Amino acid sequence: MGGTELSFVHEAFDTNWVAPLGPNVTGFEEDIENYLGHDVHVAALSSGTGAIHLGLKLLGVSEGDEVLCQSFTFSASANPITYLGAKPVFIDSESETWNMSPKLLEEAIIQRISSGNKPKAIVTVHLYGMPYKVEEIHAIANDYGIPVLEDSAEALGSTYGSRPCGTFGDIAILSFNGNKIITTSGGGALVSKTKEYRDKAIFLATQARDKAVHYQHSEIGHNYRMSNVLAGIGRGQMQVLDDRVVARRNNYRFYTEQLREFDEITFLDEPYGMFSNRWLSCILTPSYEVREKIRVALEHENIESRPLWKPMHLQPVYENEVSFSDGTSEDLFNRGLCLPSGSNLLEQDLERIIKTIKIALS
């Protein structure tokens, strides 16, 4: 916490605005809009997953449709596709950003169209805070007339060509879950280029209640709006977002400097024109065995680390879905490790982590 969050929370209690809606919700949405710029419109919601669900719904995804989705990601990027009765088609990554491969994306679009199943939307992800190849992905999407839902859950504070992540997709989403770069304990947001999408998202997020003096519903809605209390936490967090980005990038810099002597340990560099918030600092090892040697050594010291995301096309729940893979994400999963990356890590914490890794490697 940055220190000012409690003042907004106290204000919510003092004014008795505890339920969803209220001044903090409106203020938080405005804070995000001002931070992102580019005339975006924001709806504060209960989770990033809920934002993806509503975003896909706004893009017209329904039962039987196909949605192209990055495979190398957390399950929340893909699960909302199934909420709507649609089918995910998983696209593997490229090695420069670890995000969706433009080559495989276009290959998938051509193949699915030729089989009579033109995809209804594309879910792209800025993984671990690293922007995906925005220009290439969106050029392909535009060529085939397919809208993009930009999953920026891990990338608030990252930029592509100086433009903030979260402003590229027809619809974008943010997450304020407890592990994100800033948090409202639980929460998310839908970001739209149009006020119409934002207003419809709020309508659907508040049980799709029609304008009437009584309770009347012509559409199926959801209970996805953020509470005024949590939005108060978010308002305080927005004031320290830039500081959190600096802290995460300092963690990454420390790891790269300290592990430079080990040629077998590599990091994901920022491609030209990209700026990552370094939400998580990740390393690539030469093999699964080395990855596990480091992970287990850290675990023995009560230091948590975690393998990179297991690709969705390898998950039991999605093993029968269509995928376009060249083995990139599977290799990353086998060799990659996420190191402790919290914004509140002290220098002695980082030194203890590095000492453990160096002992394991030597």
Side-chain angles (χ1 to χ4, degrees):
M1 296 289 101
T4 62
E5 292 86 356
L6 270 179
S7 63
F8 292 103
V9 173
H10 283 152
E11 182 181 334
F13 276 81
D14 291 343
T15 58
N16 206 30
W17 277 104
V18 176
L21 307 183
N24 280 337
V25 175
T26 303
F28 187 36
E29 291 170 340
E30 291 173 351
D31 291 343
I32 299 169
E33 289 172 351
N34 291 334
Y35 184 87
L36 295 176
H38 299 276
D39 297 321
V40 297
H41 304 270
V42 173
L45 303 172
S46 57
S47 70
T49 309
I52 294 175
H53 186 194
L54 291 185
L56 291 171
K57 205 169 182 177
L58 292 172
L59 294 177
V61 175
S62 60
E63 187 171 359
D65 288 333
E66 290 189 351
V67 176
L68 302 168
C69 180
Q70 183 164 313
S71 181
F72 195 43
T73 183
F74 182 49
S75 62
S77 301
N79 287 346
I81 298 169
T82 69
Y83 299 168
L84 295 165
K87 303 284 285 183
V89 174
F90 293 113
I91 312 298
D92 212 335
S93 296
E94 37 77 15
S95 59
E96 291 184 29
T97 70
W98 298 357
N99 291 308
M100 183 180 283
S101 164
K103 176 179 177 293
L104 290 175
L105 172 64
E106 186 161 30
E107 180 182 316
I109 292 172
I110 293 171
Q111 196 277 335
R112 299 318 292 164
I113 290 176
S114 68
S115 67
N117 296 297
K118 181 180 178 180
K120 201 64 176 284
I122 302 169
V123 177
T124 55
V125 183
H126 302 292
L127 201 71
Y128 301 125
M130 182 65 72
Y132 60 81
K133 293 186 175 181
V134 173
E135 289 184 38
E136 293 179 52
I137 295 290
H138 287 260
I140 293 169
N142 290 335
D143 285 345
Y144 293 94
I146 303 174
V148 174
L149 191 153
E150 175 191 359
D151 183 345
S152 196
E154 303 172 3
L156 186 59
S158 299
T159 60
Y160 179 94
S162 77
R163 180 167 172 167
C165 292
T167 65
F168 296 104
D170 297 88
I171 290 173
I173 70 96
L174 304 172
S175 173
F176 307 111
N177 191 29
N179 65 347
K180 294 304 185 290
I181 197 157
I182 62 169
T183 181
T184 56
S185 89
L190 183 144
V191 183
S192 169
K193 293 179 178 178
T194 69
K195 183 176 181 296
E196 290 73 22
Y197 272 156
R198 190 273 309 276
D199 291 347
K200 186 61 181 289
I202 292 174
F203 169 72
L204 292 173
T206 49
Q207 299 291 17
R209 181 185 175 185
D210 295 337
K211 290 183 178 180
V213 295
H214 54 275
Y215 285 95
Q216 178 166 302
H217 307 271
S218 302
E219 296 183 54
I220 298 295
H222 310 274
N223 185 17
Y224 280 165
R225 206 68 162 108
M226 181 179 283
S227 86
N228 197 50
V229 175
L230 296 190
I233 299 174
R235 296 212 70 187
Q237 287 277 283
M238 286 298 294
Q239 297 178 0
V240 295
L241 172 55
D242 289 339
D243 296 334
R244 299 294 176 263
V245 173
V246 169
R248 301 284 176 134
R249 288 180 63 85
N250 284 342
N251 290 339
Y252 175 82
R253 186 178 301 111
F254 183 89
Y255 286 133
T256 57
E257 291 173 352
Q258 292 296 317
L259 294 174
R260 187 179 299 155
E261 63 189 90
F262 299 97
D263 293 336
E264 67 269 37
I265 301 299
T266 59
F267 293 81
L268 181 65
D269 295 329
E270 290 167 322
Y272 178 78
M274 295 188 188
F275 176 89
S276 172
N277 63 14
R278 297 295 184 185
W279 173 61
L280 292 188
S281 291
C282 306
I283 59 173
L284 276 184
T285 67
S287 66
Y288 170 84
E289 289 74 21
V290 175
R291 186 202 81 182
E292 281 301 281
K293 188 176 183 180
I294 296 172
R295 187 190 65 79
V296 171
L298 290 168
E299 186 176 53
H300 284 166
E301 293 297 320
N302 198 30
I303 300 170
E304 185 181 14
S305 63
R306 189 173 296 171
L308 302 186
W309 298 122
K310 182 176 182 179
M312 288 298 103
H313 71 274
L314 299 180
Q315 297 285 353
V317 71
Y318 288 126
E319 63 185 359
N320 294 322
E321 303 298 345
V322 176
S323 65
F324 291 78
S325 174
D326 61 7
T328 298
S329 60
E330 184 174 355
D331 180 60
L332 291 170
F333 167 62
N334 286 329
R335 297 193 295 119
L337 192 69
C338 301
L339 301 179
S341 304
S343 303
N344 60 345
L345 284 171
L346 303 175
E347 186 172 350
Q348 54 262 43
D349 298 325
L350 291 166
E351 289 174 348
R352 181 166 158 251
I353 294 162
I354 285 295
K355 179 182 178 181
T356 304
I357 295 174
K358 287 184 175 180
I359 291 173
L361 290 173
S362 60

